Amino acid sequence: GSYFGGGKGYSEVAGRKEREEWGWKYGVTGVEVEVDTETGAIKILRVVSAHDVGFAINPHLVEGQIEGTVVMGLANFLLEEMQFDGGRVANPTFMDYGFPTALECPPVVSINVEKHNEEGPFGAKGVGELPIVGIGAALANAVYDAVGARIKTSPITAEKVLRALEEKMGS
């Protein structure tokens, strides 16, 4: 990777002026699943998501941000899929397009790891979208650990699980 910088961030409240503010973001995500090998259905039992947030100015808000982003990531990798029929979108409404409701959200354990960031306001780092980075890989690996078959495309659907299990049994 690389970082070129060049932008200026002003934070007079935090006591810094005309200084670029950044901070490397670190996080880890684990997903625990149950997979029904007869139907391919995946049940998310629990997600643990820990992130270096610098200093959590509002810890409850940071935990909520992590939890919300985890659910957004699960939706990306389990449910969301634009379907086309002859070049037209076949699922154009929220009634047809999958996304989780509150009843479908698994327990999420969010962990704020605080390591003061010299560059950020009050020592904070951004955490907005960081939790989505690892969720796809963590989910795919959890499914693999559960059934021994690798799903390499998203969304990870019951149909794909069954197809992968059939290929595994056939080889």
Side-chain angles (χ1 to χ4, degrees), residues 34-164:
E34 270 183 8
V35 180
D36 184 331
T37 56
E38 297 291 319
T39 65
I42 301 166
K43 180 179 180 183
I44 309 295
L45 301 177
R46 179 171 65 142
V47 178
V48 177
S49 196
H51 301 278
D52 175 8
V53 301
F55 171 70
I57 295 169
N58 183 334
H60 294 295
L61 188 63
V62 174
E63 289 173 9
Q65 182 68 49
I66 291 171
E67 291 167 5
T69 306
V70 162
V71 171
M72 182 174 75
L74 289 173
N76 288 159
F77 293 102
L78 285 174
L79 302 170
E80 296 184 15
E81 180 176 29
M82 289 188 73
Q83 298 170 352
F84 295 92
D85 180 21
R88 301 184 85 175
V89 177
N91 58 340
T93 70
F94 287 138
M95 296 297 291
D96 304 314
Y97 190 83
F99 60 92
T101 66
L103 294 175
E104 297 162 325
C105 294
V108 177
V109 178
S110 60
I111 301 170
N112 296 342
V113 178
E114 294 186 286
K115 181 157 176 35
H116 191 271
N117 175 26
E118 293 295 326
E119 307 296 326
F122 305 106
K125 289 184 180 181
V127 70
E129 294 178 349
L130 180 62
I132 204 169
V133 173
I135 197 77
L139 177 61
N141 286 330
V143 171
Y144 176 78
D145 286 345
V147 298
R150 179 76 59 195
I151 312 298
K152 297 181 181 178
T153 60
S154 67
I156 300 174
T157 63
E159 293 81 14
K160 289 179 184 178
V161 170
L162 288 177
R163 195 173 321 124

